[in-house]
Every structure is written in C-alpha cells, then in structure tokens.
Amino acid sequence: MRRIAILTSGGDAPGMNAAIRALTRKAIHEGFEIFGIERGYLGIIEEKIFPLSNRDVGGIITQGGTMLKTARFPEFQNEEIQRKAYDILKTYDIDHLVVIGGDGSMRGATSLSKLGMSTMTIPCTIDNDMGGTQYTIGYDTALNTVVDAVGRIRDTSNSHERVAIVEVMGRKAGHIALKAGLACGAEIVLVPENPMPLHAVCRHLKETQIRGKEYSVILVAEGAYNSGEVKAFIKEHTEFDPSLTVLGYLQRGGGPSAFDAILAARMSEVCINLLMSGVANRLVGYIDGHIRALSYEEAERLEFPIDEKDYRLLSILSS
C-alpha cells in the first residue's frame, strides 16, 4: 500500500484539524495508509511518526489548533537536517508528505522535494500572506474573531468617549487589519504596506473630534507599528488617552468558520486526487473561487498583496 504522512508546521491556525481529518479520510478511502507526524519538521527528526485511522480524526473538525501539534524548527534550513529528514521518511516507507502551514512550511516542503521526496502543501495561516493563493485556511476565522472583538471594544469606547487602539496579527501583511477595519468601521487602520505617519493619525483624530465624533477605533497590524508606541505618541500629541488591547493568540484559537472548514475539505480532496494522478510538489491554492495546484516556484512568484481599493474605501468611509 502507498503511504502518506501529514504534518502541521509553523503557527497554528483554525482549520488545521479540519484539513487533517479530510486528508486522512480521503486518503484511506482511496486505499492509502496514512501517518501523522507530531510537532512539524522537528517531529520527523524525532521520529514522532504514527499511523492514523478514521476514528483517530473523529470529532476534530470543529476544534481549533492541531491534533498533530506544531513547532517552529529553523534548523530545518540546514541541508544536513533536510537530508536526515528525507532518510527517516524513507525508512518509514513514506511515499508522499503533505505539509499544512504557511510560507516557511512550504519552503521546507520545497527543500524535501529537491531531494526526491514527493510533497504537497496546503496553505494554512491566519495572516493570509502566502504566495500562490488568495485565501489561506484560518484567515476567515481569524478575521471574524477580530471583528467580533472590535465590536465589543467599540461599545466600551463609545460609552466612555475614548480612542481605542487594537493590535492584530500581521507581521508582513495587513490583510487582517484592513479587512477587519472595513467590516467593523474602524476609523484608522495601520498596516505594514502603507505606513501612516503618526502625526497624520493625530491630525485625523482631532479632525473627527471637531466634526462631532466622540470615539474612534484604530486597528494596528503588529508589523506596522509597536502599538504601545502608537498609544504613547497619541497621548503626548493630543488630548486623548487611548486604551490599548492586544488580541494576540485570541486570533489563532477556536474552531474554524464554515468557510475555512469547507476550504480545508476541498483543498484536501484536490491534494489526494493530484497524488493519485502522479502530480506532486505543488501548493494547493485558492484563486478566483477555484482550487488550483501551482508548482512551488510559481507559487513563490504569484503574490496577492492587500487591495489598495479597499484601503482607499476605508479612508472614505471613516471620515
């Protein structure tokens, strides 16, 4: 029988378990043996490799996190470590490795593919910052979590007539901050792609106050500014004393939204079908409403940055 191993790598994201479940059950249905690897690429080196059954993945579709655990393993960039991982996988007679994770996880899969390992990558990260796909599993869930949290914070800001700063995830990309800002009506959104000077932030707050606005919400992507510095700057240069909420891991937790769970199932089905047809070393992406398989090289080149039209629209609607 052919053997497939699954691992989750990098930061966890809602929908990882949904993908594990779909991959396992689809693979078993098609006659594969399926194995899980605990703690990502580190788990290969530690030989945390074990068989999975349909029952092992029962009930996990609505659970957040990943039943396979995850770990960051920067040492995997070392070619000797990659070769060791390849040899271990072959010792277990693994024919295909499916990696669920972000861009760093895909780079690990790419390295193994160059050594001769058949790999596939399913994009799963809340930041939605991977090449080759417009949506990553987990992004929609995180976005809705932020919108819900900001709605609650807005209620208090309105009651106390205060400025509220909310820091969201997004080290290199501002997808969460921008889309959440549009969805919840934030007055200002600070993203890495369009760094707004803090003097301009203060000026905007003063202008909206003159127009009668009694409170404001500022969303800060973590890669745009240190949110503590934003709070201090506003307090020093205006009469406002903003509150600060860092949502942090709240955005990673919880079960997946319907969109993310369905996307995980569809991507997993395509992944197994491709392996059955002899196609490997691909990212299974979502582009213009369709599941598409791109070579790792093509995925690296095909980027989907934040929508500048959305950024301009937000500035209009927040006036």
Side-chain angles (χ1 to χ4, degrees), residues 199-231:
H199 283 293
V201 171
C202 293
R203 183 170 61 250
H204 183 85
L205 291 174
K206 292 175 181 178
E207 290 173 352
T208 55
Q209 183 187 45
I210 291 172
R211 291 197 296 269
K213 195 146 197 174
E214 298 174 339
Y215 69 96
S216 294
V217 174
I218 302 173
L219 286 181
V220 183
E222 60 184 338
Y225 282 103
N226 178 301
S227 55
E229 293 176 357
V230 176
K231 171 182 168 67

Side-chain angles (χ1 to χ4, degrees), residues 262-276:
I262 293 168
L263 185 61
R266 292 180 60 202
M267 285 182 168
S268 298
E269 178 189 33
V270 169
C271 178
I272 299 301
N273 286 342
L274 287 169
L275 290 176
M276 291 174 60

Side-chain angles (χ1 to χ4, degrees), residues 12-275:
D12 64 305
M16 280 186 164
N17 276 329
I20 293 167
R21 173 183 179 271
L23 285 167
T24 297
R25 293 190 168 180
K26 169 67 174 174
I28 290 173
H29 176 77
E30 300 297 348
F32 288 93
E33 285 186 286
I34 193 82
F35 288 76
I37 301 174
E38 282 192 346
R39 302 182 69 202
Y41 291 107
L42 177 61
I44 302 178
I45 302 302
E46 295 179 341
E47 298 192 40
K48 304 291 188 181
I49 303 171
F50 54 93
L52 289 173
S53 69
N54 281 333
R55 297 281 62 81
D56 291 327
V57 297
I60 68 171
I61 187 172
T62 58
Q63 296 176 5
T66 162
M67 65 165 285
L68 294 178
K69 313 302 181 186
T70 184
R72 301 190 186 278
F73 186 40
E75 292 84 357
F76 198 74
Q77 299 176 51
N78 186 301
E79 292 183 9
E80 291 184 7
I81 299 293
Q82 295 167 8
R83 171 60 67 177
K84 182 178 180 180
Y86 173 84
D87 291 340
I88 290 172
L89 290 171
K90 287 305 178 182
T91 298
Y92 281 81
D93 295 323
I94 301 299
D95 299 297
H96 312 286
L97 175 68
V98 180
V99 174
I100 305 169
D103 50 3
S105 303
M106 185 176 74
R107 284 193 292 271
T110 302
S111 299
L112 287 174
S113 71
K114 292 177 179 178
L115 294 175
M117 189 73 211
S118 168
T119 71
M120 298 291 285
T121 300
I122 292 181
C124 193
T125 170
I126 67 168
D127 287 344
N128 201 41
D129 59 352
M130 284 184 69
T133 185
Q134 290 174 320
Y135 287 94
T136 57
I137 299 168
Y139 167 63
D140 183 71
T141 308
L143 181 59
N144 281 283
T145 298
V146 170
V147 171
D148 180 68
V150 172
R152 297 169 188 269
I153 292 168
R154 179 186 289 278
D155 291 343
T156 296
S157 297
N158 186 13
S159 298
H160 292 268
E161 300 179 319
R162 295 190 68 184
V163 173
I165 300 171
V166 183
E167 180 186 300
V168 301
M169 287 185 172
R171 289 178 294 114
K172 297 181 295 182
H175 293 284
I176 292 177
L178 178 57
K179 294 294 187 182
L182 272 175
C184 69
E187 281 67 38
I188 298 172
V189 174
L190 303 178
V191 295
E193 296 89 341
N194 289 314
M196 183 180 186
L198 294 184
H199 283 293
V201 171
C202 293
R203 183 170 61 250
H204 183 85
L205 291 174
K206 292 175 181 178
E207 290 173 352
T208 55
Q209 183 187 45
I210 291 172
R211 291 197 296 269
K213 195 146 197 174
E214 298 174 339
Y215 69 96
S216 294
V217 174
I218 302 173
L219 286 181
V220 183
E222 60 184 338
Y225 282 103
N226 178 301
S227 55
E229 293 176 357
V230 176
K231 171 182 168 67
F233 191 94
I234 292 173
K235 185 175 181 179
E236 180 182 353
H237 293 86
T238 71
E239 62 187 60
F240 303 109
D241 183 11
S243 64
L244 171 59
T245 305
V246 179
L247 295 184
Y249 285 162
L250 178 69
Q251 299 157 85
R252 291 195 184 280
S257 65
F259 180 87
D260 279 334
I262 293 168
L263 185 61
R266 292 180 60 202
M267 285 182 168
S268 298
E269 178 189 33
V270 169
C271 178
I272 299 301
N273 286 342
L274 287 169
L275 290 176

